[in-house]
Amino acid sequence: MSLLPVKQLLASETTGHTITVKGWVRTKRESKNAIFIAINDGSTIHNLQAVAEPGQFSEETIRLVTTGACVAVTGTLVESMGSGQKVEVKATDIHIYGPADPDKFPLQPKKHSMEFLREIAHLRPRTNTFAAVLRIRHALAFAVHNYFNDNGFFYLHTPIITASDAEGAGEMFRVTTLDLNKLPRTDEGDIDYKQDFFGRETNLTVSGQLEGELGALALSKIYTFGPTFRAENSNTTRHLAEFWMIEPEMAFYELEDNMNLAEDFVKYVIGYALTHCADDLAFLENRLIDEEKSKPQAERSPMPLLEKLSFVLNNNFQRLTYTEAIDILLQSKPHKEKKFQYPVGWGIDLQSEHERFLVEKHFKKPVILTNYPREIKSFYMKQDDVDESAPGPTVRAMDVLFPGIGEIIGGSQREDNYEKLLARVEEVGIDPASIWWFLETRQFGSAPHSGFGLGFERLVLFVTGMGNIRDVIPFPRTPKSAEF
Ligand code: ATP
Ligand code: MN
């Protein structure tokens, strides 16, 4: 007896030998002469069908074979008479590892809403949709490492606990071992963090970038790929409180090189999914087509999933400056007809509705926007030389915008001039002493360098065609929700 995953069994070139399949029952169908059991072990979207003759098994065994039960079926692998599969197993032995009471098991072979499935996140990986998403998520993560490894990048592990308050102070989760009921106080009455575990205030990281830069200024090309935390109270379909971010950082790269890398990288990982996850993507494409039947024509996606992914691979991303984008938005129909919820004008932080207009309506392809106003971007971005066409100072930022998602990547060339960086740090009210180590890299062997951050779940969202970011991570963390 050999134990092979269903994926391999279904691809068997020969039949007639004895095999054992272990997995969870998806469906049981009984006819007069045979019982058909569809078994899935998560290795593939497809099930292996076991056929059992009723007389050969005790009634008790057959009774316990229900949707959700975990079983091991041994038997002969034979060519399948039915359509839909090449082979099936003619059962000689059925072992029940774990029954699943059909009156209580919440996953029945019918459509469940995504909202309901979120409430049973401990079981939802056993649905076809989630298992497909999780397999694609795995493939994409693997592709990320492949890409960087093949291109001479080193995987740098940046800290999850940080003491730097340089970024997103209000959005950070505090890390402490202090007793919240008995907080130690200083003579002035403030909380005495000297008595805390690290002897200072610490938080969960919102980005590995600052430390990533330190790595790039020694190893030339690094990337991080780790958990990232943001306590922003944004209940959207694109934000999680805990997500995974990929952040490459490269010495000697200018903005243009940064854009080229971002585009090449994203195309590579999407291409990897297309070649390695064809079955799962086909399943999700059909699911989407099904789901969209109930939507009005205008809300349906312009392309089926696979076509959309190929389209991204085969077209250059549209590159333009923020200033040019604002001009387009000012000339646009939704602006003139006051259809945008948020006002448009040079200096605004682009809202999702603006980004999506540019991508989905105007250019109809992914867009890279560059040279944003300095005031709406981070202190570490490289300041542009004065640009006469822009109404105010700009920085060498780049955001990659995707259809259906909006911003998927945010990046920039970094300010490598010590004086300019220090001035900016002080201007935005950061205590230079708190990031002395970051500033020092501009005093010792500074180099032009660039990098970006890709939200991994936004990538998975795009590739799977799912509608909500909570459904592309196994156990989502969002405001008021951290079960499982
Ligand atoms: P947004 O404007 O969409 O909130 P951001 O500008 O705050 O994003 P960055 O700080 O530039 O995001 O982070 C880089 C990338 O990380 C983003 O392009 C996005 O893909 C991803 N990202 C940011 N915040 C979240 C979040 N809360 N949940 C999931 N992904 C996120
Ligand atoms: Mn951003």
Side-chain angles (χ1 to χ4, degrees):
M1 179 209 98
S2 68
L3 183 66
L4 293 174
V6 166
K7 184 178 182 177
Q8 248 167 291
L9 289 170
L10 286 173
S12 297
E13 294 292 339
T14 59
T15 50
H17 53 290
T18 300
I19 57 108
T20 294
V21 54
K22 300 184 179 185
W24 292 267
V25 175
R26 282 289 206 266
T27 55
K28 178 175 73 173
R29 193 162 50 80
E30 292 183 72
S31 78
K32 221 168 118 225
N33 309 320
I35 299 157
F36 301 95
I37 309 162
I39 299 166
N40 189 283
D41 68 354
S43 60
T44 161
I45 190 83
H46 304 295
N47 304 323
L48 183 61
Q49 174 164 280
V51 186
E53 275 179 42
Q56 286 202 358
F57 302 92
S58 74
E59 269 179 34
E60 176 66 359
T61 301
I62 298 302
R63 191 181 64 77
L64 290 175
V65 175
T66 58
T67 295
C70 185
V71 299
V73 175
T74 301
T76 320
L77 193 70
V78 296
E79 272 179 47
S80 177
M81 296 293 169
S83 61
Q85 66 271 323
K86 230 172 66 196
V87 294
E88 62 191 19
V89 53
K90 210 166 166 303
T92 52
D93 183 70
I94 300 176
H95 175 73
I96 314 280
Y97 281 118
D101 184 344
D103 292 333
K104 294 186 184 140
F105 186 60
L107 284 175
Q108 291 306 319
K110 59 159 195 162
K111 275 238 166 334
H112 294 290
S113 76
M114 289 297 133
E115 288 76 14
F116 169 70
L117 292 176
R118 264 171 236 151
E119 289 167 19
I120 52 163
H122 58 308
L123 295 173
R124 68 177 185 171
R126 292 201 215 162
T127 62
N128 285 333
T129 301
F130 280 93
V133 168
L134 293 179
R135 282 187 297 268
I136 293 169
R137 187 181 162 104
H138 160 80
L140 288 170
F142 198 80
V144 166
H145 288 299
N146 253 356
Y147 179 85
F148 288 123
N149 185 58
D150 288 351
N151 286 285
F153 285 70
F154 297 102
Y155 183 21
L156 185 77
H157 296 99
T158 49
I160 288 171
I161 300 175
T162 69
S164 90
D165 61 355
E167 268 205 278
E171 299 180 352
M172 298 183 104
F173 288 101
R174 179 151 296 167
V175 174
T176 182
T177 53
L178 292 178
D179 181 349
L180 297 183
N181 292 314
K182 275 195 305 238
L183 287 171
R185 299 278 170 180
T186 61
D187 294 342
E188 288 78 41
D190 299 329
I191 296 167
D192 185 8
Y193 286 104
K194 288 212 168 56
Q195 295 187 41
D196 204 347
F197 188 90
F198 295 104
R200 60 194 299 172
E201 284 187 67
T202 48
N203 300 291
L204 293 178
T205 184
V206 294
S207 158
Q209 184 205 316
L210 299 190
E211 288 91 352
E213 287 190 39
L214 314 184
L217 292 171
L219 301 172
S220 284
K221 295 198 283 188
I222 65 93
Y223 70 105
T224 72
F225 186 177
T228 309
F229 307 87
R230 295 195 184 174
E232 53 195 345
N233 204 352
S234 26
N235 254 310
T236 76
T237 53
R238 293 167 295 107
H239 290 89
L240 290 163
E242 177 181 297
F243 63 102
W244 287 66
M245 183 137 67
I246 297 145
E247 294 177 278
E249 193 70 37
M250 301 74 63
F252 318 117
Y253 271 49
E254 305 210 356
L255 186 61
E256 176 89 14
D257 310 306
N258 205 18
M259 284 192 272
N260 293 343
L261 178 75
E263 184 167 342
D264 189 56
F265 164 62
V266 173
K267 285 179 172 174
Y268 172 86
V269 293
I270 293 174
Y272 187 94
L274 275 170
T275 7
H276 291 84
C277 307
D279 286 0
D280 287 324
L281 287 171
F283 171 82
L284 291 175
E285 171 169 285
N286 287 330
R287 174 191 169 274
L288 214 61
I289 291 169
D290 234 35
E291 194 186 71
E292 292 198 333
K293 280 188 186 141
S294 60
K295 284 190 189 170
Q297 193 74 39
E299 283 172 35
R300 295 184 198 170
S301 2
M303 288 179 208
L305 183 60
L306 291 167
E307 196 183 324
K308 179 187 85 172
L309 298 179
S310 304
F311 179 84
V312 167
L313 290 196
N314 298 327
N315 286 281
N316 291 333
F317 295 3
Q318 183 73 41
R319 300 177 184 192
L320 68 159
T321 66
Y322 168 93
T323 304
E324 289 164 340
I326 291 290
D327 284 342
I328 291 172
L329 288 169
L330 287 172
Q331 299 300 321
S332 74
K333 229 170 127 190
H335 174 70
K336 289 183 172 160
E337 292 174 359
K338 303 204 162 36
K339 291 274 164 60
F340 285 134
Q341 197 187 336
Y342 295 89
V344 178
W346 200 93
I348 63 154
D349 211 350
L350 291 179
Q351 298 294 324
S352 189
E353 57 176 351
H354 306 136
E355 297 176 341
R356 294 185 59 173
F357 172 82
L358 291 168
V359 173
E360 292 160 28
K361 297 280 172 339
H362 191 81
F363 291 112
K364 298 193 167 62
K365 56 162 140 166
V367 167
I368 310 183
L369 289 189
T370 61
N371 310 86
Y372 280 73
R374 188 179 67 186
E375 303 314 317
I376 59 169
K377 286 291 181 186
S378 301
F379 72 92
Y380 50 71
M381 296 190 177
K382 187 164 182 64
Q383 298 175 39
D384 272 317
D385 302 332
V386 177
D387 173 359
E388 299 299 338
S389 70
T394 55
V395 286
R396 289 198 195 153
M398 56 164 226
D399 277 7
V400 181
L401 314 179
F402 259 41
I405 308 270
E407 180 187 330
I408 192 162
I409 287 179
S412 73
Q413 185 170 343
R414 316 306 188 189
E415 184 56 79
D416 53 342
N417 177 290
Y418 175 71
E419 281 75 29
K420 283 188 183 165
L421 182 62
L422 181 63
R424 196 67 195 132
V425 163
E426 286 171 338
E427 229 169 76
V428 301
I430 297 169
D431 176 9
S434 70
I435 48 163
W436 61 273
W437 42 271
F438 185 71
L439 294 167
E440 257 194 16
T441 56
R442 274 65 170 175
Q443 291 181 299
F444 305 128
S446 188
H449 63 289
S450 301
F452 61 81
L454 166 75
F456 185 55
E457 283 73 18
R458 293 206 185 160
L459 174 72
V460 183
L461 203 53
F462 181 75
V463 173
T464 58
M466 297 295 284
N468 193 313
I469 200 163
R470 293 167 175 85
D471 301 330
V472 298
I473 187 165
F475 306 104
R477 277 15 186 173
T478 50
K480 303 279 178 289
S481 166
E483 189 93 16
F484 312 106

